[in-house]
Amino acid sequence: MTRLVRPTFVLLAAALAAAGATAPSAGARLSGCERKMVRLVNDVRAQHDLTRVRVSRALGRAADHHSRDMLMRDFFDHSSSDGTPFDRRVRRYAHARTVGETLAAFGRRRGGAHTVVQMWLESPPHRAILLGADFRRIGIARRWGMLGNAKQAVVTADFASSR
């Protein structure tokens, strides 16, 4: 498993993938920052005449599980700590033909929702996911903790087609 940890802003984007899976139940509500990130993603999508993504509790659970896993096990990667590829992990929570994932990690002084979405837009692989025409749903989770030897916010955004 690749371990990539820096106390500065770090981003990774996963390629789009295809296939199906099952969805567990229940989920947490979005924080203000998470809601703002979704709003900003939808603003950008609207500027490109794309359908807005709607918040999915199932994808939110997938994103939250991954953000927590990365902080708990001190790694930063799309694959889960047990080596499960991101697309298989996401599809455990939500049925989807197409899925995508963006990650971010940053220290307290680096900003919030605007910074994360702007950095994703400036990165070609992240931008492709944010502007993916097939995507209709999003789950997002920002969690704080120690990553490496620095206090970091870790953000996971999972995207999925309608089915």
Side-chain angles (χ1 to χ4, degrees):
M1 175 181 338
T2 304
R3 291 197 181 270
L4 177 59
V5 177
R6 289 188 212 146
T8 59
F9 200 88
V10 181
L11 295 171
L12 289 178
L16 304 177
T22 61
S25 58
R29 295 185 178 185
L30 295 180
S31 70
C33 183
E34 292 162 342
R35 277 192 308 277
K36 189 170 194 173
M37 281 187 260
V38 172
R39 229 178 2 258
L40 291 169
V41 166
N42 277 325
D43 289 349
V44 171
R45 289 178 64 85
Q47 292 168 9
H48 290 85
D49 296 321
L50 294 167
T51 304
R52 300 174 70 79
V53 290
R54 64 179 172 77
V55 172
S56 161
R57 293 182 101 178
L59 289 172
R61 287 189 302 277
D64 188 57
H65 178 265
H66 192 56
S67 289
R68 290 177 188 274
D69 185 39
M70 288 189 289
L71 288 170
M72 190 168 28
R73 293 187 174 77
D74 195 21
F75 76 101
F76 188 76
D77 196 354
H78 289 284
S79 295
S80 299
S81 59
D82 66 1
T84 302
F86 91 92
D87 59 314
R88 280 193 26 219
R89 172 179 33 81
V90 171
R91 287 188 179 104
R92 286 181 186 152
Y93 292 85
H95 293 286
R97 178 180 39 81
T98 305
V99 298
E101 180 173 86
T102 58
L103 302 178
F106 58 95
R108 257 188 216 283
R109 293 180 223 125
R110 296 294 294 178
H114 284 285
T115 300
V116 171
V117 173
Q118 188 59 43
M119 293 299 288
W120 283 339
L121 289 170
E122 292 172 1
S123 163
H126 290 87
R127 183 181 185 88
I129 292 170
L130 267 58
L131 299 178
D134 288 345
F135 295 132
R136 297 291 184 270
R137 299 177 287 161
I138 186 173
I140 195 159
R142 180 189 72 161
R143 299 293 168 250
W144 286 95
M146 294 300 290
L147 193 59
N149 49 0
K151 181 96 170 161
Q152 299 281 309
V154 173
V155 180
T156 301
D158 288 327
F159 293 80
S161 57
S162 58
R163 292 286 176 235

